Amino acid sequence: MQPAQLRLVLLALGAFTVGTDAYLVAGLLPQIAEDLSVPVATAGQLVSFFAIAYAVAAPLMSFATRRFNARTVLVAALCGVALTDLALVVASTYPMLAVGRLVTACFAAAFTPTAASVAASLVPPDRQGRALAYVPGGMTLATALGVPLGSLIANVAGWRGAFVFVSVLSGIVALGLWRTFGHVQPQQRPDRGERLVVLRKPAIWSMVGMTVLWFTGGFMAYTYISQIAAEIANVHGGWLTAVLLTFGVAAIVGVRLGGVGADLWGPRRTLVASVGGKGVAFLALAVTGWLAPGPLNAVVILFVVVAFWSVSAWATNAPQQRMFITRAPEDRVTALSLASSANYAGITLGASLGGLVISSYGAGPVLTIAAGIEFFVAAALITGGIAARRRAVREVAARQAELAGPRELV
């Protein structure tokens, strides 16, 4: 394996570890609730705490770590995750566990944007999309593999054993990163003034807004996928596990396609196709009963559409990061930290809004609203692309006119 390839794999393993830690709690809620004597709904707030803390911490950690090289940030973040998870093993009250999850989110927020920036720096520009796919690829594996594995460990050793597993894995990957990146030249980190330039770019904030929106639409549906599957196809138990597994496997395909698409077709076109694909999937699910009457037909369509939904959803990650980097090449870490912050803000908003809609109206309306959000974002991306091309044409024409100079009158 080539050195650059090995480093990309280790970055993906780090993202897998951080992602497993982020999503693990969702599968441990009944055990945590029983052990700490709190309602399951209260235990479920741990997921929201993590997402909110991550959204707030991502840009702050980018500023706080500006004096350190990338290897130090990556290794320190994973060591922080390892030590915090070990501390959670002895947590005896719900507030202690909540505080621990907030701290873990801060370390995760330091790792992911830096890992994506380093991945982009390891390859030529024409392969950045594929390199950027490694980090979300690790997060995808966390949902498809890490979370079920953590739940399996929890069934044997309790929920505390699952945190020990993540802690040990974090330490192993941190050691690998430290040794493998030992001879890599530290990245040039911009000073505070240069970082503030990124925050003043309208193009960055337009991407932040669109990212929040498409994650809101996506997680309005994904957060309640079990209830959606039950309402539209009467899927429960083992069949629901199969639906989730389908989503996870398709996500791996989507991450790869998004990276290739960003390199071959451009990040904007790939994003438009991915976001629009999610909208089509949500509409198809909303009208499944009308399109395919009968329980068997509904189940078949559910599996097909969930696979298409997952591919489309996860194909957004690499082109999204590529667009943020393109808009702030002088400070990739800050730009990518804003992208991560927008991701988790959308997750939190989507879960909350989806809960309100689905509790009041059911699965159909939440899917229809989510589809509308995705189509709006796709249209905004197309409009933004047209406007950008027109600006570029005007700038080229102005430069050519300036070079030509005034014509002499004959």
Side-chain angles (χ1 to χ4, degrees):
M1 186 181 292
Q2 296 294 323
Q5 187 76 17
L6 176 60
R7 290 165 186 153
L8 286 171
V9 170
L10 283 170
L11 291 172
L13 286 174
F16 171 81
T17 304
V18 170
T20 300
D21 187 86
Y23 305 135
L24 185 67
V25 171
L28 309 178
L29 293 182
Q31 291 189 25
I32 292 174
E34 182 179 359
D35 188 29
L36 300 182
S37 301
V38 297
V40 173
T42 302
Q45 294 304 310
L46 293 170
V47 178
S48 298
F49 292 160
F50 188 99
I52 294 170
Y54 188 110
V56 174
L60 297 179
M61 294 300 290
S62 171
F63 278 93
T65 60
R66 67 184 182 275
R67 298 184 182 276
F68 303 99
N69 64 56
R71 183 183 75 157
T72 301
V73 175
L74 292 171
V75 172
L78 285 179
C79 288
V81 171
L83 293 175
T84 307
D85 281 352
L86 275 183
L88 291 179
V89 172
V90 297
S92 57
T93 65
Y94 179 79
M96 291 175 63
L97 188 58
V99 171
R101 295 304 291 165
L102 294 176
V103 174
T104 306
C106 293
F107 286 120
F111 179 87
T112 308
T114 305
S117 175
V118 171
S121 70
L122 293 174
V123 297
D126 62 341
R127 296 188 63 84
Q128 277 189 351
R130 276 164 276 204
L132 286 166
Y134 273 84
V135 175
M139 301 292 284
T140 307
L141 282 176
T143 61
L145 208 66
V147 174
L149 181 59
S151 298
L152 182 62
I153 293 172
N155 289 335
V156 177
W159 67 268
R160 300 174 194 272
F163 281 109
V164 172
F165 159 69
V166 176
S167 177
V168 172
L169 186 59
S170 299
I172 293 172
V173 178
L175 178 61
L177 287 171
W178 180 261
R179 293 179 62 87
T180 305
F181 283 84
H183 302 291
V184 174
Q185 187 71 20
Q187 288 184 289
Q188 295 295 320
R189 306 298 293 271
D191 59 25
R192 182 178 179 181
E194 291 173 322
R195 287 181 172 235
L196 290 176
V197 170
V198 175
L199 300 181
R200 291 196 291 266
K201 290 188 172 184
I204 286 289
W205 289 109
S206 67
M207 275 299 297
V208 167
M210 283 189 285
T211 299
V212 171
L213 279 177
W214 84 59
F215 268 83
T216 297
F219 276 82
M220 278 184 68
Y222 181 72
T223 306
Y224 303 96
I225 189 171
S226 57
Q227 186 168 344
I228 289 170
E231 284 192 26
I232 69 177
N234 197 30
V235 165
H236 303 275
W239 282 106
L240 177 59
T241 302
V243 169
L244 295 175
L245 182 61
T246 299
F247 192 96
V249 173
I252 297 171
V253 177
V255 167
R256 179 62 179 171
L257 286 179
V260 173
D263 289 336
L264 297 181
W265 308 310
R268 187 182 296 274
R269 290 179 181 177
T270 306
L271 269 181
V272 170
S274 303
V275 173
K278 279 198 295 178
V280 171
F282 294 153
L283 278 185
L285 285 175
V287 298
T288 294
W290 175 68
L291 288 176
L296 181 58
N297 292 336
V299 170
V300 171
I301 287 189
L302 175 67
F303 275 90
V304 172
V305 176
V306 162
F308 180 73
W309 164 14
S310 182
V311 169
S312 300
W314 284 93
T316 61
N317 285 274
Q320 173 220 29
Q321 292 173 348
R322 182 81 177 270
M323 287 188 72
F324 270 93
I325 288 175
T326 302
R327 279 153 178 72
E330 71 279 4
D331 187 5
R332 290 191 301 237
V333 176
T334 297
L336 290 171
S337 71
L338 291 173
S340 294
S341 182
N343 293 352
Y344 278 86
I347 290 171
T348 305
L349 185 59
S352 302
L353 182 59
L356 290 174
V357 176
I358 208 165
S359 62
S360 302
Y361 304 105
V366 80
L367 289 167
T368 304
I369 295 171
I373 292 173
E374 304 296 335
F375 289 140
F376 173 80
V377 173
L381 286 167
I382 294 171
T383 304
I386 294 172
R389 283 194 294 272
R390 287 177 176 172
R391 284 196 301 270
V393 169
R394 286 197 298 267
E395 290 172 2
V396 170
R399 283 197 298 269
Q400 289 174 343
E402 183 180 350
L403 292 173
R407 296 181 178 180
E408 294 184 2
L409 294 175
V410 179

